[in-house]
Amino acid sequence: MRSQLARKPENTYHHGDLRDALIKAALREAEQGGTEAISIKALAKQLGVSQPAPYRHFADREALLEAVTAQAFRQLSAILRAAMAKPSKQSKLSRLAQATLDFGLHRSGIYRLMFASRTVSCAPKGSELREATHETFALVVEALEAPAVGYLRERHALKIWAALHGVVMLAEQGLFTGEAAHATREELVEDFVSETKAALAAAIKAARRRKKAGT
């Protein structure tokens, strides 16, 4: 009898397949409705698996949200890294800032999951999610293209990260259009970039001057 290759039945998953499928499906749901749109029961039905199946990979909804948010941060990091590597007359910080703005405005559901929920704050130190957020923030520090002088880079990176987040959230809520300042959101972001680079350069210069005076 001629042997036939066994075909994998449709909508069955093995090993890490279901875990990855759940994360991808949850990301699609978050694109439309943010954190509230993610339901393990609905995802199981969508993927054609039994309701208990997802719990083999995630203890509860919070564990799934943590994995999904980590994947979202990795996606953002990949976008920022590509923007910084792209040949351009703009500074790395400018490219990173504009890429962040674009991501936030066009993927608002995912952005809310990442920055407007308690998922990150509830994740334990050393977790996959915390590592993913550190990777993203490290790119902001790198984009400053400045020497390490104390924690000046990190402080200024945090300042512009907060400013970018503020623009995205205000715009997403319809509270900022740029009309009041007679500037587009992109122009305002460029102001942040210029001010951050100038302030950091001045702070580094002052720190070095103080160090030299103290020697």
Side-chain angles (χ1 to χ4, degrees), residues 207-215:
R208 286 174 169 171
R209 188 166 53 245
R210 288 193 299 271
K211 183 177 180 181
K212 186 177 180 180
T215 56

Side-chain angles (χ1 to χ4, degrees), residues 6 15 19 21 44 51-53 56 68 100 105 151 161 171 181:
H15 305 297
R19 185 181 191 278
Q51 289 188 23
R56 298 171 191 161
V68 172
T100 300
L105 295 179
Y151 291 98
W161 196 231

Side-chain angles (χ1 to χ4, degrees), residues 21-33:
L22 285 165
I23 291 173
K24 290 177 181 177
L27 277 170
R28 289 194 296 269
E29 293 300 311
E31 289 272 11
Q32 302 300 318

Side-chain angles (χ1 to χ4, degrees), residues 1-62:
M1 181 181 295
R2 187 174 62 182
S3 61
Q4 294 182 341
L5 293 174
R7 294 184 61 187
K8 182 179 178 181
E10 188 177 0
N11 293 333
T12 62
Y13 301 87
H14 298 286
H15 305 297
D17 291 354
L18 179 55
R19 185 181 191 278
D20 292 342
L22 285 165
I23 291 173
K24 290 177 181 177
L27 277 170
R28 289 194 296 269
E29 293 300 311
E31 289 272 11
Q32 302 300 318
T35 310
E36 298 78 10
I38 299 176
S39 160
I40 290 183
K41 181 178 179 180
L43 291 173
K45 183 177 181 180
Q46 180 185 136
L47 295 173
V49 298
S50 65
Q51 289 188 23
Y55 293 98
R56 298 171 191 161
H57 302 278
F58 301 105
D60 49 32
R61 182 174 180 271
E62 286 66 34

Side-chain angles (χ1 to χ4, degrees), residues 47-167:
L47 295 173
V49 298
S50 65
Q51 289 188 23
Y55 293 98
R56 298 171 191 161
H57 302 278
F58 301 105
D60 49 32
R61 182 174 180 271
E62 286 66 34
L64 172 60
L65 287 177
E66 188 175 317
V68 172
T69 307
Q71 180 61 18
F73 270 101
R74 285 192 290 268
Q75 288 183 3
L76 175 57
S77 290
I79 290 169
L80 299 183
R81 196 175 290 110
M84 291 165 61
K86 187 177 180 180
S88 172
K89 293 181 179 179
Q90 292 180 307
S91 67
K92 283 187 177 182
L93 185 60
S94 176
R95 282 173 273 162
L96 176 140
Q98 294 295 345
T100 300
L101 178 64
D102 184 72
F103 183 93
L105 295 179
H106 292 94
R107 302 188 66 184
S108 59
I110 293 294
Y111 199 87
R112 290 198 306 275
L113 171 67
M114 297 163 69
F115 295 102
S117 73
R118 294 185 56 81
T119 304
V120 174
S121 63
C122 292
K125 291 183 179 180
S127 65
E128 176 188 20
L129 175 52
R130 287 298 182 101
E131 291 300 318
T133 63
H134 293 163
E135 178 186 352
T136 302
F137 185 69
L139 291 173
V140 184
V141 176
E142 178 187 338
L144 288 169
E145 299 181 278
V149 178
Y151 291 98
L152 289 176
R153 288 187 311 179
E154 289 75 11
R155 289 185 65 179
H156 283 77
L158 188 57
K159 286 180 180 179
I160 192 168
W161 196 231
L164 289 170
H165 176 64
V167 173

Side-chain angles (χ1 to χ4, degrees), residues 105 108 112 116 166-177 185:
L105 295 179
S108 59
R112 290 198 306 275
V167 173
V168 172
M169 296 307 293
L170 286 173
E172 201 270 335
Q173 295 297 324
L175 298 173
F176 173 76
T177 62
R185 291 168 297 206

